[in-house]
Amino acid sequence: MKASDVRKQFPILDQEVNGHPLVYLDSAATSQKPVQVIEALSDYYRGYNSNVHRGVHTLGTRATDKYEGAREKVRRFINASSTEEVIFTRGTTTAINTVAVSYGRANVDQGDEIVITYMEHHSNIIPWQQLAKEKGAQLKFIPLREDGSINMDEAKNTITDKTKIVSTSHVSNVLGVINPIKELAAIAHSHGAVMVVDGAQGAPHMKVDVRDLDCDFYSLSGHKMCAPTGIGVLYGKKEHLEKMEPIEFGGEMIDFVGLYESTWKELPWKFEAGTPIIAGAIGLGAAIDFLSEIGSEAILEHEHRLAAYALERMSEIENLTIYGPLEASKRVGVITFNIEDVHPHDVATVLDAEGIAVRAGHHCAQPLMKWLDVSATARASFYIYNTEQDIDRLVEGLVKTKEYFTNVF
Ligand code: 7TS
């Protein structure tokens, strides 16, 4: 699909906000949805809404085929060995919590170490904090280089024979930096630890090959990659998942229930309690078809081009600080910044008046804000439907913001 055709598939982008054509630069929070995904949801609810794996009736069979078909699409998309390794979850947060509770409780003991970094999203911090507290384990943080990227020499020092779990984001939701997962996984494995990847900001933007990365677990959120909210994926190596206990019980995950003892279904269903997220999974399948048509390489190339252009144009603005590496090739299309003496919420408010949507705040990464020595930042995040013109509008908006606050104060 040509870049100019991609944007046309997103009906929401064709509107005015506050009297200006909408420029949506908040895709790291959630992406917009193409018409193909909206139609897949509508087809399900209009044509074959039914529960899965239960009835023998025709609608139930269609729904089951589509739901399990979506699992196979995910498997191919991340190159897992088998659909047994693909568990549908509510999102990345649920996926990481599942690993921390199920794998973590069984494999982490007092005195063990769990290693993460300073750049993690809260969803990849708190589950490990809770586990560490419960088990008397130590939570350790890999130091970052000055540009915010992971210091691999420090990674080698931080990960030790006591480390049981290493968990980091594939891509930081604040700095946009792409992390060297394959290298970290190799270090983790050399100490007998598992590698957990928070892929919320990775899977939307680049090729994910879980076998090549050799990670033990990988999580993603559908809503950041053109699918609906409420659907995500936990990938896990079968050798781990087979030994792990479910953390939710009832409904879809049951094999046999007695009065005092019960047994679970096989993988992947033993981790999918209750009625599954059927519409969400079907929507994710449609989103994967859509993204695959564009191609992961083309998506990353597009983001590198936009990031390079944004970094160049934004660095022309005086007193504007950009966080993270300044080489576009080290990032995806996420640019976090501050304008001196202007609060990021004020930046976002002025931009909104111009029809430009950006996020301001701590981005659910308070330890990283502390590391950056700021209380908050503004963030512009791009995706497949953004263009150089969107960045021009952002830069014009930022210049206006600066003028406005310079004149007022
Ligand atoms: N990990 C990372 C790196 C994220 O960016 C996010 C969401 C999550 C985990 C949690 O994903 P969820 O789908 O389970 O909520 N990040 C953001 C953000 O940057 N702005 O809003 C949500």
Side-chain angles (χ1 to χ4, degrees):
M1 198 181 298
K2 281 194 300 187
S4 54
D5 290 335
V6 171
R7 193 179 171 94
K8 290 186 202 138
Q9 312 305 316
F10 292 83
I12 201 170
L13 297 176
D14 187 21
Q15 65 171 301
E16 293 207 338
V17 168
N18 298 322
H20 302 276
L22 169 65
V23 173
Y24 185 76
L25 301 179
D26 196 18
S27 295
T30 199
S31 74
Q32 296 303 349
K33 320 302 174 200
V35 73
Q36 290 82 345
V37 169
I38 298 166
E39 276 169 9
L41 294 177
S42 167
D43 288 350
Y44 167 66
Y45 283 121
R46 284 170 184 272
Y48 60 99
N49 172 50
S50 211
N51 213 324
V52 294
H53 303 137
R54 295 175 195 212
V56 287
H57 62 74
T58 303
L59 294 192
T61 308
R62 274 182 74 191
T64 304
D65 288 350
K66 279 283 195 179
Y67 179 72
E68 291 302 330
R71 197 189 306 277
E72 167 57 19
K73 286 175 190 190
V74 173
R75 186 206 63 74
R76 235 181 296 137
F77 189 70
I78 61 173
N79 196 29
S81 305
S82 138
T83 49
E84 292 172 290
E85 300 182 322
V86 176
I87 295 156
F88 286 125
T89 67
R90 208 158 59 74
T92 298
T93 304
T94 312
I96 297 173
N97 274 277
T98 302
V99 179
V101 171
S102 177
Y103 183 88
R105 281 190 184 152
N107 291 283
V108 174
D109 290 315
Q110 188 165 9
D112 287 343
E113 297 168 351
I114 302 160
V115 172
I116 62 174
T117 80
Y118 288 104
M119 75 171 82
E120 303 310 318
H121 185 280
H122 296 163
S123 295
N124 195 32
I125 301 174
I126 308 160
W128 308 120
Q129 278 179 357
Q130 294 297 101
L131 177 64
K133 271 193 230 161
E134 186 182 316
K135 291 288 186 168
Q138 195 193 350
L139 187 58
K140 290 167 76 180
F141 297 82
I142 303 174
L144 306 178
R145 290 199 202 98
E146 214 168 300
D147 69 357
S149 58
I150 291 178
N151 185 328
M152 290 305 280
D153 291 331
E154 294 282 7
K156 284 179 195 142
N157 296 333
T158 313
I159 301 166
T160 73
D161 285 345
K162 286 188 183 170
T163 307
K164 289 287 159 56
I165 294 172
V166 178
S167 186
T168 181
S169 51
H170 197 174
V171 171
S172 157
N173 66 318
V174 176
L175 304 169
V177 61
I178 302 169
N179 290 323
I181 298 300
K182 199 171 167 171
E183 290 76 3
L184 285 166
I187 300 170
H189 292 154
S190 73
H191 291 280
V194 292
M195 183 74 216
V196 182
V197 185
D198 167 353
Q201 304 287 350
H205 306 287
M206 67 181 74
K207 175 80 199 134
V208 174
D209 182 333
V210 289
R211 276 188 275 179
D212 180 54
L213 294 173
D214 197 20
C215 54
D216 296 276
F217 298 97
Y218 192 99
S219 53
L220 59 86
S221 293
H223 70 95
K224 294 185 198 290
M225 46 187 285
C226 295
T229 49
I231 183 74
V233 171
L234 168 62
Y235 156 82
K237 282 185 184 166
K238 189 175 167 186
E239 64 194 79
H240 302 310
L241 294 176
E242 268 183 333
K243 290 187 211 131
M244 285 161 57
E245 280 294 309
I247 64 165
E248 286 186 326
F249 302 89
E252 206 54 44
M253 53 80 68
I254 289 304
D255 174 35
F256 167 80
V257 177
L259 283 184
Y260 300 104
E261 289 294 331
S262 301
T263 56
W264 328 136
K265 270 192 189 151
E266 64 271 37
L267 288 174
W269 303 290
K270 83 170 176 185
F271 289 104
E272 294 179 3
T275 293
I277 313 147
I278 306 166
I282 292 168
L284 178 58
I288 286 177
D289 285 345
F290 179 76
L291 293 174
S292 302
E293 205 184 314
I294 302 168
S296 305
E297 287 79 14
I299 293 172
L300 189 58
E301 218 174 276
H302 174 76
E303 296 208 18
H304 281 158
R305 206 179 55 244
L306 288 185
Y309 185 62
L311 288 167
E312 180 197 322
R313 296 273 346 251
M314 288 168 75
S315 55
E316 288 163 10
I317 302 172
E318 250 179 71
N319 300 329
L320 185 146
T321 306
I322 294 170
Y323 303 101
L326 293 177
E327 300 96 314
S329 62
K330 292 190 176 167
R331 347 163 131 243
V332 300
V334 172
I335 311 234
T336 291
F337 60 95
N338 265 327
I339 299 177
E340 200 175 293
D341 296 329
V342 185
H343 194 280
H345 281 123
D346 292 332
V347 174
T349 304
V350 177
L351 291 177
D352 182 54
E354 299 290 317
I356 304 162
V358 300
R359 185 171 175 192
H362 55 57
H363 314 287
C364 300
Q366 289 184 41
L368 179 60
M369 294 295 118
K370 188 160 190 284
W371 186 85
L372 291 170
D373 199 20
V374 296
S375 59
T377 68
R379 178 185 72 184
S381 53
F382 318 126
Y383 204 27
I384 42 181
Y385 31 73
N386 291 117
T387 61
E388 270 89 354
Q389 285 82 348
D390 291 342
I391 292 165
D392 290 338
R393 287 271 310 279
L394 170 68
V395 169
E396 278 165 33
L398 291 173
V399 170
K400 240 186 206 175
T401 310
K402 266 195 66 176
E403 280 166 6
Y404 178 75
F405 282 96
T406 315
N407 292 339
V408 168
F409 301 109

